[in-house]
Amino acid sequence: MTSNVVTVENLVKTYPRITAVDSISFKIDEGEIFGFLGPNGAGKTTTIRMLLTLIKPTSGKITVFGVDALTDPAKVRQISGYVPQDLSVDGDLTGYENLLMYSKLYGVPRDGREKRIRSVLENMGLQDRSGDLVNTYSGGMMRRLELAQSLVNRPKVLFLDEPSIGLDPNARSIIWDFVKNLRNEFGTTIFITTHDMNEADALCDRIAFIDKGRLVAIGKPSQLKSTVGGDLLMISSKTPGCGAKLKGLGYQVISNSPEGNFEMLVSNGERVIPRLLEDLKANGMIVESVALKKPTLDDVFQKYTGTKIAEEGETSVEVRRTRRTLRKLRR
């Protein structure tokens, strides 16, 4: 990573009676996968649409690879790729025809158009189905075609708005692999919005938490999770005095119950457990079970906002329904 290729300064977007984006600032490095993580309605899509010059900010500054997005929006669009939440493929066209249409819209030269289309089809693993109507595709294949569409102009930066929304776990995993491959093999700079904690953790080099239009924390996933306070160990023991013994041995017991269940905060729980069991055994304590819970990004979000991120909202359900309906219409 050599430089900041996307810079956002004091970005604001207001509508009557609501501030959708509230004075946010951040930078994205070249070749980085940078994520916006937050619940539905937090301001993620509004931000991505301002970066793509699809809507104008109320105030603030955006530069993409040195281009001022406010004074030269056409150039920003030419060097950017975009996959929106909503369905963006035409089910009555083949995969190849969808890409041909996009290549023309992006002004890909005629003499290089065929090679470009075949290349992105191969990269997305769709070459064998390129002649089939898109409404015969699975939801995951449609999403891969949408990724292919966004790549026909060879963008310097790729914007993905909820890239795996509405997909089943297997299709989601496939999309994640394709996204990581784009960065690892081609050095593509990628901006992702998501409300999926696992997606953010699996894909992003850095994450910005956004809630009610404001950024509340930015950092690497591991750094953010370390702010929660450590790993949580849950111990069950019927031996009287176990909780007191744990405290006496220097462990940080944060809760206990009359039934003999204890919770402790530790660093590097996997390494602490063997030593903990030896300490308890040496002191005559019998342990019935030990469970380890690693901090999650949802724990981090809750720390900074006091709320949790919903796993799946109405938008995700609606996208899945739309993709299924498109396929059913041709049966």
Side-chain angles (χ1 to χ4, degrees):
M1 300 179 185
T2 59
S3 62
N4 300 132
V5 296
V6 176
T7 302
V8 174
E9 299 178 9
N10 301 317
L11 193 62
V12 176
K13 181 62 180 179
T14 60
Y15 296 98
R17 300 182 182 179
I18 187 172
T19 299
V21 175
D22 191 359
S23 191
I24 65 174
S25 300
F26 60 91
K27 296 179 179 180
I28 303 176
D29 291 329
E30 186 173 8
E32 181 177 33
I33 301 180
F34 183 86
F36 257 27
L37 178 62
N40 292 329
K44 303 188 300 296
T45 297
T46 301
T47 299
I48 211 171
R49 289 175 65 82
M50 285 192 285
L51 267 60
L52 282 161
T53 74
L54 299 177
I55 57 176
K56 291 184 178 181
T58 303
S59 62
K61 183 178 180 180
I62 303 168
T63 56
V64 180
F65 278 87
V67 180
D68 189 320
L70 301 183
T71 60
D72 199 352
K75 190 169 183 180
V76 169
R77 294 175 194 171
Q78 194 60 40
I79 63 175
S80 303
Y82 176 42
V83 179
Q85 288 186 32
D86 297 329
L87 193 67
S88 61
V89 290
D90 190 329
D92 292 325
L93 299 178
T94 67
Y96 176 86
E97 289 168 341
N98 271 273
L99 290 175
L100 179 61
M101 177 178 63
Y102 265 71
S103 66
K104 291 179 178 179
L105 289 172
Y106 273 114
V108 176
R110 183 189 297 269
D111 58 357
R113 203 174 284 161
E114 182 71 16
K115 183 177 180 181
R116 189 81 61 87
I117 291 172
R118 295 301 175 188
S119 175
V120 294
L121 282 169
E122 184 177 354
N123 288 338
M124 291 296 114
L126 293 170
Q127 62 271 36
D128 293 338
R129 295 290 304 274
S130 63
D132 297 340
L133 292 177
V134 170
N135 51 31
T136 66
Y137 286 13
S138 67
M141 290 176 64
M142 289 182 190
R143 205 57 170 163
R144 280 151 54 196
L145 181 61
E146 289 170 322
L147 278 170
Q149 287 177 164
S150 71
L151 297 173
V152 292
N153 65 323
R154 293 181 178 170
K156 290 185 175 181
V157 57
L158 180 61
F159 295 90
L160 306 178
D161 195 2
E162 302 275 4
S164 63
I165 191 169
L167 301 182
D168 61 64
N170 183 59
R172 181 183 297 124
S173 178
I174 293 172
I175 292 297
W176 290 356
D177 288 341
F178 280 114
V179 171
K180 286 185 283 190
N181 184 64
L182 287 174
R183 193 277 301 278
N184 295 338
E185 290 199 18
F186 303 102
T188 308
T189 302
I190 301 174
F191 179 97
I192 290 175
T193 71
T194 183
H195 68 276
D196 185 328
M197 296 172 295
N198 294 326
E199 180 166 75
D201 213 351
L203 293 180
C204 297
D205 299 304
R206 286 189 303 135
I207 297 168
F209 286 95
I210 184 169
D211 183 51
K212 299 176 183 176
R214 298 186 64 87
L215 295 186
V216 295
I218 298 179
K220 296 180 179 179
S222 59
Q223 293 173 335
L224 291 168
K225 286 184 284 188
S226 71
T227 67
V228 175
D231 298 344
L232 183 68
L233 283 183
M234 293 162 283
I235 302 167
S236 178
S237 173
K238 301 299 184 183
T239 305
C242 186
K245 182 61 67 176
L246 286 168
K247 291 180 181 180
L249 292 171
Y251 291 102
Q252 185 181 357
V253 179
I254 60 174
S255 70
N256 60 76
S257 70
E259 293 78 21
N261 298 317
F262 309 94
E263 292 185 344
M264 299 165 36
L265 280 178
V266 299
S267 297
N268 202 335
E270 295 91 337
R271 293 188 177 183
V272 169
I273 289 174
R275 187 179 75 245
L276 169 70
L277 294 177
E278 289 179 0
D279 287 344
L280 290 175
K281 183 178 181 181
N283 285 272
M285 303 288 114
I286 299 175
V287 176
E288 297 182 355
S289 66
V290 178
L292 170 65
K293 181 181 181 294
K294 307 290 287 186
T296 68
L297 292 175
D298 201 25
D299 295 328
V300 180
F301 189 83
Q302 186 174 21
K303 173 185 175 180
Y304 285 101
T305 68
T307 61
K308 286 182 173 289
I309 301 174
E311 288 295 333
E312 182 174 57
E314 292 181 2
T315 303
S316 176
V317 175
E318 184 61 31
V319 169
R320 184 182 294 120
R321 185 183 298 119
T322 299
R323 295 173 190 271
R324 287 174 177 169
T325 300
L326 179 60
R327 296 196 301 273
K328 289 179 180 178
L329 289 175
R330 297 296 298 180
R331 293 177 182 173

